[in-house]
Amino acid sequence: PHDRALARQTAARIAADGFIPWVSDAALGSIGVGTIEPVARRVLVLYNGDEAPALNYANAHRYLQMPLNHLGYVTDYADVRQGLPQQAWPDRYAGVVTWFSGFMPLARRQEVGQWLAARIDDGLPLAIVGDFGLVPERSLARRLGLARSEAPQLPLRASGQHAMMGLEAPPPLPSQQLDLPRLTPAMAQQSTPLITFDDARGQRLTGGAITPWGGFILDPDVLTEIPGTDSARWIVDPFAFVQQALRLPPLPVPDTTTENGRRLLLAHVDGDGFNSLAEFPGSPPAAQVLLQQVFEKYRIPQTMSVIEAEVAPDGLSPQLSPRLEAIARAMFKLPHLEIGNHTYSHPFLWDLSVKHGIFDDGSEAATSLKIPGYQMNLEREIVGSSQYINTRLAPPGKRVVLLQWSGDTAPSAEALAITARAGLLNLNGGDTAISRNNPSLTAIGAFGIRKGGQLQVYAPITNENIYTHLWSGPFYGFERVLETFQMTDQPRRIKPVGIYYHTYSASKPAALKALHKVYDWALAQPLHPVHASEFARKVQDFYSFAIARDGEAWRLRGQGRLRTLRLPPALGQPDPGASQGIAGWRPGAEGAYLHLSGASATLRTRSTAATTPPRPYLYDANARLLDWQASADGQRTELRLQGHMPLEFSLAQARACQVRAGQHTLSPLSGPSPAEVQRYRLPDVAAALEILCPAR
């Protein structure tokens, strides 16, 4: 099962004899190879659960998953304390990563060492980050090409540094590099060193290298923590390291940031402070200010949630409840608002078996809002509160669609499973807060986290609580989220624009002013507005999206929610005439953003030098593409767009064509635009369009 090269050769021989091939192992335990070969998009990550209170806080998840996600890969985690998967083959895994911060439990070292040696024998690339976690025994050391070194004789001298080192901080002084390995002469000859040091006797120590079996980068040359803060800086470029160590090939990347060439925009609100009295004349509830000053003004897709205990008659504010429930009903009647749920008692700790440090006192206030006689119950928090909203607050035909995690936003696998069984999507967590004050990739979170087969979807950007220093001021601090929006777009578009805050942001004039500044900025950008639930479904689709090679073509298939793939420049440009299900593309900083017209597509690419007869294609749009039908000669194209805002779209290579909406011919907008691109605008949120072109 590990010999994919032989499987491909066998499939080619069968195909040459005129048969449709499919080659697997005798036990049919591996994904077969035929004329179509699925691309392995999963990376297996080994970690030691003793090093973090939960997977959410493990270094591999906090720091390394984001670069892997951005490159198109899904992470599976294995805690070495609990055993290792036996079927870790190249048919489903692109590679294995380990991130240890010291020795793993003694009882696990031999098994883990043997397991890693077997993966190297299988040809699965291995990337070691931080520490080896063990002293490699002879067999593993031989495969890794490590030689026993003598104790370094000081002073040490830095003797080499690769270009991928020193990304956000310089490597530490050589005097700190005392526990580094020495490569055998043969391995050193075949490897590309990342950072090396020579001791006084000329012994060369290697802190990192790209090797024939993968690569390694060891502490203290991985990242550095800034004393007195929770911030860190990458020393090694994580994108370059994992790509080279795991031999990750360029592939069309399923992208959750963009649709139809425009960056996504979503806004969602946690219900905290719904019952707070705002600092405005008459002391209205903050929820009323939010309704009148934000939701009724900015009619873009938004998601609003409530905490049942803050709003309900038997909750914390019984005298205010009739007024609060009326405000919630008015909010949920707005057609551009979808309904979220922020639980019954707002748990601060979702998994009481996890040690959280500052919450170790076990007090009731440390687990949820203080509700007399109540003990936390997951069914009550998730299902019961959703029923309350659906029966008392939601208008007919509208229901809760999203569970918005509260507190530590680290739900257990059980909480995730209950949410899924209730038919709810979920969102929150991730803590993306990169800014000019903390300009590091370590401040950008992953897409989500899987526990027990269930997926928690992270919010794209963190909320105003972080920018206001846990709501201690400055209360206008949320305006700094604009820095986060910009720094997650350039030089890489890693996240959509996510406006995420609490109801209490409408309780103070400075905070409300910051909200207006953020909304006004977002509406001035050429974005693609979606509901938070639409984004959550795209992340779900990312985790299951299938990519396969079909000769020189790519087969692409998802659930139909995620419709954008990012095409690295190394793969050329899309060839629309030879592709199916590709409606167009738009150039980006990391390659073209491809627009799929449905759940599946066949993509063929060409070199930029190649020329094909010009035919119109969709350049960008602020709406979803419901249909795209192009005639074989390119003279007639029919498309349908459905969005949340008045339609804006652009077509490329259509200057000689007539664009019609119903019985009306559309005129392109004036103003600057790329060559061969024409922009259009309609007052409607949906339209059926025709592109009629002369014979070419």
Side-chain angles (χ1 to χ4, degrees), residues 358-376:
I358 61 173
F359 295 119
D360 285 349
D361 60 357
S363 65
E364 186 178 14
T367 56
S368 67
L369 296 176
K370 188 174 291 187
I371 301 173
Y374 174 69
Q375 291 186 340
M376 182 174 165

Side-chain angles (χ1 to χ4, degrees), residues 277-569:
L277 298 181
E279 298 172 5
F280 294 99
S283 299
Q288 181 176 321
V289 178
L290 183 65
L291 170 63
Q292 296 173 342
Q293 297 294 321
V294 178
F295 291 157
E296 292 180 350
K297 177 178 180 180
Y298 302 104
R299 294 186 175 267
I300 62 173
Q302 301 190 63
T303 306
M304 181 62 203
S305 65
V306 297
I307 302 168
E308 180 183 343
E310 284 192 348
V311 178
D314 57 353
L316 301 175
S317 305
Q319 293 180 332
L320 274 177
S321 178
R323 188 176 181 183
L324 297 177
E325 287 193 327
I327 295 170
R329 293 186 189 103
M331 287 178 170
F332 295 152
K333 284 181 181 179
L334 295 174
H336 59 284
L337 248 65
E338 69 177 4
I339 305 177
N341 177 7
H342 204 41
T343 74
Y344 168 62
S345 73
H346 191 282
F348 296 115
L349 302 181
W350 278 93
D351 190 343
L352 299 182
S353 67
V354 173
K355 188 174 181 179
H356 285 72
I358 61 173
F359 295 119
D360 285 349
D361 60 357
S363 65
E364 186 178 14
T367 56
S368 67
L369 296 176
K370 188 174 291 187
I371 301 173
Y374 174 69
Q375 291 186 340
M376 182 174 165
N377 178 284
L378 291 177
E379 290 281 349
R380 181 68 182 91
E381 293 292 342
I382 298 166
V383 179
S385 55
S386 295
Q387 291 174 344
Y388 160 75
I389 295 171
N390 288 334
T391 55
R392 287 188 64 92
L393 306 179
K398 209 170 179 180
R399 298 176 63 83
V400 174
V401 295
L402 191 72
L403 193 285
Q404 297 167 215
W405 302 111
S406 60
D408 68 348
T409 63
S412 62
E414 181 185 3
L416 289 165
I418 291 172
T419 304
R421 287 197 300 270
L424 300 176
L425 299 162
N426 75 88
L427 190 66
N428 281 351
D431 298 328
T432 292
I434 185 174
S435 66
R436 288 196 293 270
N437 190 48
N438 185 21
S440 173
L441 291 169
T442 62
I444 303 178
F447 289 175
I449 187 170
R450 287 197 293 196
K451 299 177 182 178
Q454 303 292 331
L455 175 63
Q456 176 187 351
V457 178
Y458 284 158
I461 310 295
T462 196
N463 57 59
E464 89 284 40
N465 215 17
I466 302 303
Y467 299 92
T468 59
H469 303 96
L470 303 182
W471 201 240
S472 64
F475 296 109
Y476 56 81
F478 191 46
E479 64 184 26
R480 297 200 68 173
V481 77
L482 300 181
E483 299 171 19
T484 307
F485 295 160
Q486 292 158 359
M487 296 173 78
T488 51
D489 190 39
Q490 296 292 336
R492 298 177 178 92
R493 182 177 294 174
I494 302 178
K495 298 287 184 177
V497 173
I499 303 175
Y500 170 29
Y501 58 98
H502 300 85
T503 310
Y504 52 68
S505 264
S507 69
K508 292 182 178 293
L512 183 61
K513 185 177 180 180
L515 278 185
H516 286 306
K517 185 173 182 178
V518 171
Y519 274 93
D520 290 341
W521 178 91
L523 291 178
Q525 312 303 311
L527 302 175
H528 182 137
V530 296
H531 280 299
S533 64
E534 295 177 76
F535 170 75
R537 289 188 175 98
K538 291 178 191 298
V539 176
Q540 288 181 336
D541 209 349
F542 171 87
Y543 274 78
S544 60
F545 203 96
I547 301 174
R549 293 308 307 260
D550 184 357
E552 296 298 315
W554 298 89
R555 294 285 190 99
L556 313 170
R557 179 172 295 172
Q559 300 171 7
R561 303 294 186 174
L562 188 156
R563 295 281 193 86
T564 292
L565 287 97
R566 193 175 69 250
L567 189 67

Side-chain angles (χ1 to χ4, degrees), residues 84 104 108-120 134-137 139-140 143:
L84 299 170
M104 68 185 74
R108 308 299 304 156
R109 295 178 197 172
Q110 183 177 4
E111 179 186 348
V112 172
Q114 293 173 347
W115 188 91
L116 292 174
R119 302 291 76 76
I120 293 174
L134 47 81
V135 176
E137 54 85 30
S139 175
L140 178 58
R143 287 169 173 81

Side-chain angles (χ1 to χ4, degrees), residues 62-358:
R62 290 177 62 196
Y63 301 127
L64 203 61
Q65 184 180 323
M66 182 278 287
L68 286 167
N69 286 166
H70 185 69
L71 293 170
Y73 292 87
V74 171
T75 51
D76 291 347
Y77 290 93
D79 186 343
V80 295
R81 302 174 305 170
Q82 301 171 1
L84 299 170
Q86 296 307 306
Q87 292 188 343
W89 297 330
D91 63 330
R92 65 203 71 191
Y93 287 111
V96 173
V97 174
T98 72
W99 191 328
F100 303 120
S101 298
F103 282 169
M104 68 185 74
L106 182 62
R108 308 299 304 156
R109 295 178 197 172
Q110 183 177 4
E111 179 186 348
V112 172
Q114 293 173 347
W115 188 91
L116 292 174
R119 302 291 76 76
I120 293 174
D121 290 344
D122 287 347
L124 203 59
L126 171 62
I128 295 173
V129 181
D131 192 289
F132 285 102
L134 47 81
V135 176
E137 54 85 30
R138 183 176 303 174
S139 175
L140 178 58
R142 185 173 60 252
R143 287 169 173 81
L144 296 175
L146 300 181
R148 184 179 299 275
S149 60
E150 301 178 21
Q153 183 174 326
L154 300 177
L156 295 181
R157 179 180 61 86
S159 54
Q161 182 174 316
H162 192 275
M164 75 170 68
M165 302 301 296
L167 178 70
E168 296 176 344
L173 296 174
S175 61
Q176 301 178 41
Q177 318 283 341
L178 297 179
D179 298 321
L180 300 180
R182 185 168 63 87
L183 297 181
T184 63
M187 182 59 65
Q189 204 169 39
Q190 301 174 66
S191 302
T192 300
L194 301 181
I195 188 164
T196 57
F197 305 89
D198 293 341
D199 72 358
R201 66 169 62 95
Q203 180 178 225
R204 175 147 296 178
L205 306 177
T206 305
I210 303 299
T211 66
W213 47 264
F216 66 96
I217 183 68
L218 303 179
D219 291 329
D221 296 309
V222 179
L223 52 78
T224 183
E225 296 181 352
I226 300 177
T229 75
D230 294 328
S231 302
R233 298 287 184 271
W234 279 106
I235 296 172
V236 66
D237 182 339
F239 293 98
F241 174 73
V242 296
Q243 201 154 28
Q244 293 186 35
L246 298 181
R247 314 294 194 265
L248 301 180
L251 76 160
V253 176
D255 193 286
T256 64
T257 72
T258 302
E259 183 162 352
N260 289 332
R262 290 193 175 200
R263 191 181 183 191
L264 299 177
L265 165 64
L266 60 145
H268 74 290
V269 185
D270 287 349
D272 308 49
F274 205 94
N275 57 350
S276 297
L277 298 181
E279 298 172 5
F280 294 99
S283 299
Q288 181 176 321
V289 178
L290 183 65
L291 170 63
Q292 296 173 342
Q293 297 294 321
V294 178
F295 291 157
E296 292 180 350
K297 177 178 180 180
Y298 302 104
R299 294 186 175 267
I300 62 173
Q302 301 190 63
T303 306
M304 181 62 203
S305 65
V306 297
I307 302 168
E308 180 183 343
E310 284 192 348
V311 178
D314 57 353
L316 301 175
S317 305
Q319 293 180 332
L320 274 177
S321 178
R323 188 176 181 183
L324 297 177
E325 287 193 327
I327 295 170
R329 293 186 189 103
M331 287 178 170
F332 295 152
K333 284 181 181 179
L334 295 174
H336 59 284
L337 248 65
E338 69 177 4
I339 305 177
N341 177 7
H342 204 41
T343 74
Y344 168 62
S345 73
H346 191 282
F348 296 115
L349 302 181
W350 278 93
D351 190 343
L352 299 182
S353 67
V354 173
K355 188 174 181 179
H356 285 72
I358 61 173

